[in-house]
Structures are given as structure tokens and as C-alpha cells.
Amino acid sequence: MSSLDPAVASRLTRTADGLVPAIVQDVESRDVLMLAWMDDEALHRTLTTGRGTYWSRSRGEYWVKGETSGNVQHVREVRLDCDGDTLLVLVDQHGGACHTGDRTCFDADRLR
């Protein structure tokens, strides 16, 4: 059971797995850094600790960005889109946001 505020939880539109996509953006540069997934508990932890906390679909566990890499995200703001099905997480990113060590997960391939 999550400790997420029921007023917030009631506004979320989740996938069948109970997840909401979280787009992570640098608060200063506005660069899109990464896409991750949150459930109610990950969102609660993010809101209460100020650290980007996500649900790993591949590992089936919570992870705090930077906990092992040192590339920490300090969360400045979390926004919910108009449909309640996507979160925007504005962060101060210290070090690379991508698991490859790159600043962003979106600088490797341009399709057009």
C-alpha cells in the first residue's frame, strides 16, 4: 500500500501494470533527459525525498537515480499532464542522466 496522497492518486491514469510514464527534464536547460516509470509509491518517495525514484520494469524494484552511479537528480517540481497519464519531473541533474553515462538518453540517434 502506497502512502501517496489520495487526492493525487485519484488523478493518475495508470497502465495495466499500475505505472505512469515520467518524462524527466532539466529544470534549467529544459533538455529532456530520460523517460522512466513510476507507480504510486515511487511518486510518493520522489515527492517526499526530493530524489528521483522510479520503478524498474526489468528488475522489478525501485531505484533512486544516482544511488549507485552518483549521477543524482534533485527534484524541483513534478507536474501532471491534463489527462493524468504522464508526469513531468523537473530536476537538477548532477552527472549523466542516461544509464550509458551520457547527459541525456536522447542524444544518440536522430531519426530525422
Side-chain angles (χ1 to χ4, degrees):
M1 183 118 197
S2 172
S3 300
L4 185 62
D5 180 339
V8 174
S10 70
R11 297 180 58 202
L12 296 176
T13 303
R14 300 162 193 79
T15 66
D17 295 330
L19 301 174
V20 177
I23 300 167
V24 182
Q25 185 178 37
D26 185 285
V27 71
E28 296 296 326
S29 72
R30 297 300 190 194
D31 290 340
V32 175
L33 301 175
M34 56 183 263
L35 170 72
W37 295 90
M38 291 183 168
D39 64 3
D40 288 18
E41 183 60 24
L43 179 56
H44 168 72
R45 291 180 189 189
T46 296
L47 294 173
T48 57
T49 67
R51 299 275 310 275
T53 305
Y54 308 99
W55 177 255
S56 171
R57 295 178 304 162
S58 61
R59 294 188 311 257
E61 64 185 20
Y62 295 101
W63 57 280
V64 178
K65 184 66 179 165
E67 197 168 59
T68 57
S69 69
N71 298 331
V72 178
Q73 289 177 348
H74 295 286
V75 176
R76 298 268 298 272
E77 188 175 334
V78 178
R79 298 180 186 181
L80 182 61
D81 80 338
C82 58
D83 297 322
D85 63 359
T86 306
L87 297 164
L88 177 63
V89 183
L90 299 170
V91 302
D92 286 317
Q93 178 69 46
H94 301 276
C98 187
H99 72 281
T100 64
D102 289 342
R103 169 147 175 77
T104 169
C105 294
F106 295 99
D107 63 359
D109 293 313
R110 290 186 185 210
L111 304 178
R112 181 169 188 205

